[in-house]
């Protein structure tokens, strides 16, 4: 039996090297976007775009130049980097140009016969070791690759629009694919900033089963409501309604095709709404101008849309098409849902969800219904992945849409995993790491802050709630190690500080950016570092009051980081070794009063010269002083929670948080 894949794709190193030359077949809608993603992720890569029409290739190459120019204008790419992205990027109408490719991605029209021809033409030219993947959104791998000489080197890698920015890629694990191929693809995507989701080989895979049936249900509802009304109701759940999205993507023929595929394979209830064949564009307003809908009509539309969403979700999980946490995450990140369908189901509660499903079963006979109690469909920890190496549990923070930023439920999920295993004699300890290669954790989720502004006790309580995990770590008998695979900011750094040791990739860095947001780090950063590394107080002062960055190397020099690693594999190895080395040897943190030099700041500016709020710096300095003088660690931590509450009531906090959410620089001049 083959070993199961690790939940975190980077935990299984791939023997296959990075590709050097990738061919993308199809210069239409998505092929060039895939090429742009590949080139920005790996600028030295050669990419060849193949199409039967030279005009399509020319247009695609021009589009990629526009992307790179725009990225330079917006400061996302340096001009030299843009040059590199555009270099080694070619187009050809001749399949011979694929001969040196080690990976060919087919992104042509959704037509099985055409794809068979493309694969035959491609396989005749590429080497035996080359990988072949298709970007089909619906056709199962078993049908696509049936004629290949070497089907084990082929699978579906399904990107979502826009493929250069949307991180989700479904990787289809079908029975004839080599395990090593799936391991490599997941590893490659994760290491290059994507979010690979493993999916079974069924028509439309996982996420398009949700999207296509959501759109088809909306079209079936047109009997009793207009497209504008349906879109307006749908916006409770998605950023843009189904008809608006279908207009954008010229998607009507796609739904006809994909739902016909599902109907032929799985039953008439999936048959596409006839109206999809006769309409080219829907009359529907932009998402920001919803239409008026009567309450009765709203209730009917809402129940049907929720019905199809819940029905598809339970079917996906009952048939093992995908994982529960992946379903929610994929719907949010790839399809623009405001919440995952399982999160919605949890919010609705079992009684409401069952009632809606029963009504849906009546209105839409044949549609899938739950096969077990609704509570069992929920993921055990929606924002975490849990693996094991030796006797060590590896907890991966996975919120790629927010650089793994933490919120209170997520810290409780981590605590839940630790509590589940800490008394198990077979578990020596834990490692916490971030998903992907960019971030360990970008801090507390700033999106949750606006609701706390102006309410000191609610904000202080939020800090206490987020601290449950950290206080538990302080008292643990088994080691928890932070493996810093990238930036560790704010609350992410505070989590790392409370772990029993830290290992970091050399490229990792740490920062307390709260002061730039007009708030302060209330869950330990004003307390813990001074107790653990008293000699480095000036470094922590600069981090707190000036948002100074701390590189992994500097952190290692002052003892904050215990080991440095060259790459992810070494990081995890060192972290696991640290767990073993610390087992049974944990030392408690200083409990009583400590001596901390005063935190004096000459000018309210960041280390790189940006304006800060003098009043917030004043609150930080006072909290550091009072926490040092507190009689116990618990009392010192309480100083931090309250200071966070006080900061949340300042004009500076209002300005700083608003500026972050509006993607602008804050102006602390008027706020003080
Ligand atoms: N909370 C919520 N969302 C966050 C986040 C946080 N702490 N940090 C990053 N994100 C989100 C961004 O808003 C962005 O979402 P979007 O694509 O919907 O706009 C996404 O993560 C990617 O971040 P982005 O800013 O595009 O990446 P970048 O590489 O340009 O910048 C940072 C990275 C970390 C410098 C920048 O995101 C940042 O300053 N984040 C805030 C860090 C912070 O202040 N943490 C302490 C919070 S108390």
């Amino acid at each position: 039996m083959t070993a199961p894949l690790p939940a975190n794709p980077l935990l299984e190193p791939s023997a296959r090297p990075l590709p050097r030359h990738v061919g993308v077949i199809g210069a239409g809608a998505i092929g060039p976007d895939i090429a742009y993603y590949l080139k920005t992720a790996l600028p030295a890569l050669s990419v060849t775009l193949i199409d039967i029409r030279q005009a399509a290739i020319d247009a695609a190459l021009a589009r990629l130049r526009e992307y790179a120019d725009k990225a330079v204008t917006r400061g996302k790419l340096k001009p030299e980097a843009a040059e590199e992205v555009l270099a080694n990027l070619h187009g050809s109408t001749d399949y011979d140009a694929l001969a040196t490719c080690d990976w060919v991605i087919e992104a042509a029209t959704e037509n099985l016969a055409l794809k068979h021809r493309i694969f035959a033409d491609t396989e005749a030219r590429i080497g035996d070791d080359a990988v072949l993947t298709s970007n089909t959104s619906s056709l199962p791998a078993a049908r696509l690759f049936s004629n290949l000489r070497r089907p084990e080197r082929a699978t579906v890698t399904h990107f979502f629009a826009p493929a250069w920015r949307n991180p989700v890629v479904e990787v289809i694990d079908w029975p004839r694919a080599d395990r090593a191929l799936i391991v490599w693809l997941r590893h490659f995507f994760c290491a290059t900033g994507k979010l690979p989701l493993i999916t079974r080989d069924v028509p439309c895979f996982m996420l398009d089963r949700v999207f296509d049936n959501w759109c088809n249900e909306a079209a079936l509802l047109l009997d009793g409501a207009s497209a504008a009304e349906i879109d307006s109701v749908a916006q409770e759940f998605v950023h843009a309604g189904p008809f608006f999205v279908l207009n954008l993507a010229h998607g009507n023929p796609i739904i006809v095709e994909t739902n016909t595929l599902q109907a032929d394979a799985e039953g008439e209830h999936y048959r596409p709404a006839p109206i999809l064949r006769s309409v080219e564009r829907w009359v529907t307003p932009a998402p920001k101008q919803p239409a008026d809908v009567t309450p009765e009509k709203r209730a009917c539309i809402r129940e049907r849309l929720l019905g199809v969403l819940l029905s598809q979700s339970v079917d996906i999980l009952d048939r093992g098409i995908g994982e529960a946490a992946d379903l929610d995450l994929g719907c949010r990140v790839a399809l623009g849902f405001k919440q995952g369908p399982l999160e919605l189901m949890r919010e609705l509660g079992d009684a409401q969800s069952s009632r809606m499903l029963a009504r849906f079963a009546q209105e839409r006979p044949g549609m899938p219904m739950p096969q077990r109690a609704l509570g069992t469909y929920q993921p055990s920890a929606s924002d975490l992945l849990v693996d094991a190496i030796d006797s060590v549990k590896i907890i991966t923070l996975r919120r790629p849409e927010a650089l793994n930023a933490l919120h209170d439920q997520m810290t409780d999920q981590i605590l839940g995993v630790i509590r589940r295993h800490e008394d198990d004699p077979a578990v020596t300890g834990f490692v916490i790491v971030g998903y992907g290669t960019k971030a360990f954790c970008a801090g507390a989720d700033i999106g949750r802050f606006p609701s706390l502004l102006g309410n000191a006790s609610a904000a202080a309580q939020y800090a206490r709630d987020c601290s449950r995990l950290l206080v538990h770590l302080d008292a643990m008998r088994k080691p928890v190690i932070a493996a810093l695979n990238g930036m560790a900011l704010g609350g992410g750094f505070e989590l790392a500080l409370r772990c029993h040791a830290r290992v970091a990739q050399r490229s990792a860095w740490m920062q307390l950016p709260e002061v730039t947001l007009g708030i302060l780090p209330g869950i330990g950063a004003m307390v813990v570092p001074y107790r653990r590394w008293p000699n480095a107080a000036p470094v922590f002062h600069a981090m707190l009051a000036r948002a100074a960055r701390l590189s992994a190397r500097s952190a290692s020099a002052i003892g904050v980081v215990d080991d440095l690693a060259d790459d992810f594999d070494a990081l995890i190895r060192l972290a696991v070794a640290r767990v073993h080395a610390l087992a049974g040897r944990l030392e408690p943190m200083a409990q009583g009063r400590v001596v901390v030099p005063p935190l004096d700041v000459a000018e309210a500016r960041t280390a790189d010269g940006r304006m800060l709020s003098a009043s917030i710096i004043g609150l930080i300095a006072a909290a550091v002083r009072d926490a040092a003088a507190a009689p116990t660690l618990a009392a010192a931590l309480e100083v931090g929670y309250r200071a966070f509450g006080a900061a949340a009531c300042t004009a500076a906090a209002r300005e700083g948080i608003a500026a972050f959410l509006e993607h602008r620089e804050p102006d602390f001049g008027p706020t003080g």
Side-chain angles (χ1 to χ4, degrees):
M1 210 174 80
T2 47
L5 295 164
N8 180 338
L10 297 185
L11 287 180
E12 181 154 346
S14 170
R16 192 182 171 88
L18 286 174
R20 277 163 305 157
H21 184 188
V22 178
V24 178
I25 301 178
I30 203 161
D33 283 4
I34 295 173
Y36 189 73
Y37 139 65
L38 288 167
K39 284 294 296 177
T40 44
L42 298 175
L45 184 74
S46 283
V47 172
T48 302
L49 269 171
I50 298 279
D51 203 284
I52 44 169
R53 293 175 308 125
Q54 185 61 44
I57 292 170
D58 294 342
L61 294 175
R63 191 160 112 214
L64 299 189
R65 262 192 303 279
E66 270 171 38
Y67 286 175
D69 288 348
K70 209 183 258 180
V72 172
T73 314
R74 293 194 175 159
K76 296 269 176 197
L77 268 186
K78 296 225 159 66
E80 321 76 83
E83 284 304 310
E84 218 185 336
V85 165
L86 295 173
N88 295 320
L89 184 57
H90 307 284
S92 176
T93 54
D94 183 354
Y95 275 61
D96 283 348
L98 297 175
T100 58
C101 286
D102 32 29
W103 181 10
V104 175
I105 305 172
E106 172 275 319
T109 313
E110 291 286 79
N111 175 311
L112 188 60
L114 169 73
K115 287 184 192 282
H116 279 162
R117 273 204 308 284
I118 290 175
F119 297 139
D121 285 348
T122 304
E123 204 178 31
R125 286 161 172 98
I126 57 177
D128 276 356
D129 286 345
V131 164
L132 186 50
T133 70
S134 169
N135 180 54
T136 179
S137 61
S138 59
L139 296 165
R143 290 192 216 173
L144 280 176
F145 304 122
S146 54
N147 302 334
L148 281 192
R149 191 163 42 81
R150 300 198 54 211
E152 67 278 8
R153 56 137 120 217
T155 194
V156 173
T157 49
H158 176 212
F159 292 79
F160 289 78
W164 59 271
R165 199 180 57 200
N166 194 326
V168 175
V169 187
E170 288 179 316
V171 176
I172 311 310
D173 191 5
W174 69 297
R176 294 182 74 181
D178 260 351
R179 186 179 186 281
L181 169 70
I182 305 298
V183 167
W184 180 71
L185 285 168
R186 284 178 87 217
H187 194 284
F188 176 83
F189 284 131
C190 186
T192 53
K194 291 283 182 198
L195 172 60
L197 302 180
I198 288 288
T199 308
R200 252 190 67 198
D201 193 30
V202 295
C204 304
F205 315 114
M206 175 167 70
L207 296 177
D208 272 7
R209 294 184 77 83
V210 174
F211 179 72
D212 298 346
N213 287 304
W214 168 259
C215 292
N216 194 39
E217 211 55 44
L220 290 167
L221 278 169
L222 286 167
D223 281 350
S226 68
E229 288 173 323
I230 297 166
D231 267 4
S232 304
V233 177
Q235 273 182 247
E236 182 184 342
F237 311 112
V238 282
H239 294 291
F243 295 106
F244 185 82
V245 177
L246 285 172
N247 278 350
L248 268 187
H250 307 290
N252 298 350
I254 302 174
I255 305 297
V256 169
E257 202 171 292
T258 54
N259 272 68
T260 302
L261 194 73
Q262 289 180 69
D264 291 347
E266 298 177 18
E268 282 309 304
H269 46 283
Y270 283 123
R271 199 60 69 196
I275 194 167
L276 288 163
R277 293 178 198 275
S278 55
V279 172
E280 207 169 303
R281 281 191 75 73
W282 306 99
V283 180
T284 190
K288 293 230 162 86
Q289 303 137 11
D292 283 336
V293 189
T294 62
E296 303 76 48
K297 207 182 261 190
R298 175 174 292 277
C300 282
I301 299 170
R302 186 175 182 274
E303 298 250 326
R304 263 295 267 288
L305 291 176
L306 278 171
V308 76
L309 206 54
L310 299 186
S311 156
Q312 280 309 302
S313 301
V314 295
D315 188 47
I316 284 166
L317 300 184
D318 281 329
R319 293 163 63 190
I321 295 172
E323 295 283 336
D326 288 358
L327 171 64
D328 269 357
L329 183 59
C331 284
R332 287 199 314 265
V333 178
L335 305 182
F337 277 82
K338 293 177 181 169
Q339 280 179 297
L342 301 172
E343 290 171 272
L344 268 170
M345 182 151 90
R346 197 170 55 233
E347 251 184 44
L348 288 169
D350 284 4
Q352 278 271 21
S353 305
S354 301
R355 187 189 57 71
M356 282 180 185
L357 280 160
R359 177 172 170 176
F360 188 63
Q362 266 186 355
E363 289 178 9
R364 299 279 283 115
M367 279 292 188
M369 286 293 125
Q371 305 294 309
R372 47 195 162 103
L374 287 182
T376 63
Y377 289 92
Q378 293 297 329
S380 58
S382 52
D383 300 312
L384 306 178
L385 303 173
V386 182
D387 290 283
I389 296 182
D390 297 337
S391 56
V392 177
K393 293 284 173 197
I394 314 289
I395 301 172
T396 302
L397 314 176
R398 187 179 65 158
R399 284 194 67 220
E401 71 269 50
L403 296 175
N404 307 325
L406 292 165
H407 48 68
D408 51 346
Q409 291 101 325
M410 191 170 167
T411 49
D412 280 349
Q413 286 175 21
I414 305 172
L415 184 54
V417 173
I418 290 177
R419 283 205 170 120
R420 239 186 338 275
H421 298 288
E422 68 184 326
D423 293 328
D424 180 350
V427 173
T428 310
F430 303 82
V431 168
I432 302 179
V433 67
Y435 187 85
T437 55
K438 191 169 169 186
F440 169 73
C441 170
D445 189 330
I446 299 168
R448 306 238 165 165
F449 285 171
S451 63
L452 302 173
L453 292 173
N455 187 339
S457 63
Q461 190 52 43
Y462 186 75
R464 267 181 222 109
D465 292 345
C466 287
S467 277
R468 279 191 289 261
L469 164 67
L470 308 185
V471 171
H472 186 85
L473 292 178
D474 293 342
M476 273 182 72
R477 281 171 297 114
K478 287 187 179 173
V480 181
I481 311 299
L484 307 182
N485 56 312
M487 62 178 92
L489 312 186
F493 184 48
E494 289 176 299
L495 167 60
L497 288 173
R498 291 296 255 292
C499 289
H500 306 108
R502 286 139 296 280
V503 298
Q505 275 180 244
R506 282 178 207 283
S507 53
W509 52 279
M510 289 137 257
Q511 190 185 24
L512 293 167
E514 282 83 350
V515 67
T516 67
L517 298 167
I519 56 171
L520 48 78
I523 58 169
M526 298 185 298
V527 180
V528 172
Y530 298 105
R531 286 164 190 260
R532 285 221 155 128
W533 304 279
N535 294 339
V539 173
F540 305 127
H541 282 2
M543 291 184 82
L544 284 166
R546 307 192 66 203
R549 282 188 182 201
L550 181 66
S551 69
R553 193 181 297 273
S554 306
S556 156
I558 58 172
V560 169
V561 158
D562 300 86
D563 286 305
L564 290 172
D566 287 328
D567 56 30
F568 189 87
D569 296 347
L571 180 78
I572 297 297
R573 261 199 318 279
L574 286 170
V576 169
R578 274 273 152 191
V579 169
H580 289 293
L582 279 182
R585 297 207 190 100
L586 294 185
E587 286 180 13
M589 209 185 318
Q591 290 290 316
R593 292 186 172 81
V594 290
V595 177
V596 176
L599 191 162
D600 296 322
V601 171
E603 201 190 4
R605 292 212 172 259
T606 60
D608 59 4
R610 287 183 294 145
M611 181 202 282
L612 293 172
S613 155
S615 55
I616 294 296
I617 294 175
L619 286 176
I620 293 174
V624 169
R625 182 198 61 213
D626 295 349
T632 60
L633 174 61
L637 292 170
E638 188 57 35
V639 169
Y641 307 148
R642 284 170 195 258
F644 182 73
C649 293
T650 60
R654 227 168 253 296
E655 166 61 10
I657 302 292
F660 178 82
L661 296 173
E662 291 159 19
H663 301 283
R664 62 171 171 83
E665 276 292 308
D667 179 4
F668 294 119
T671 68

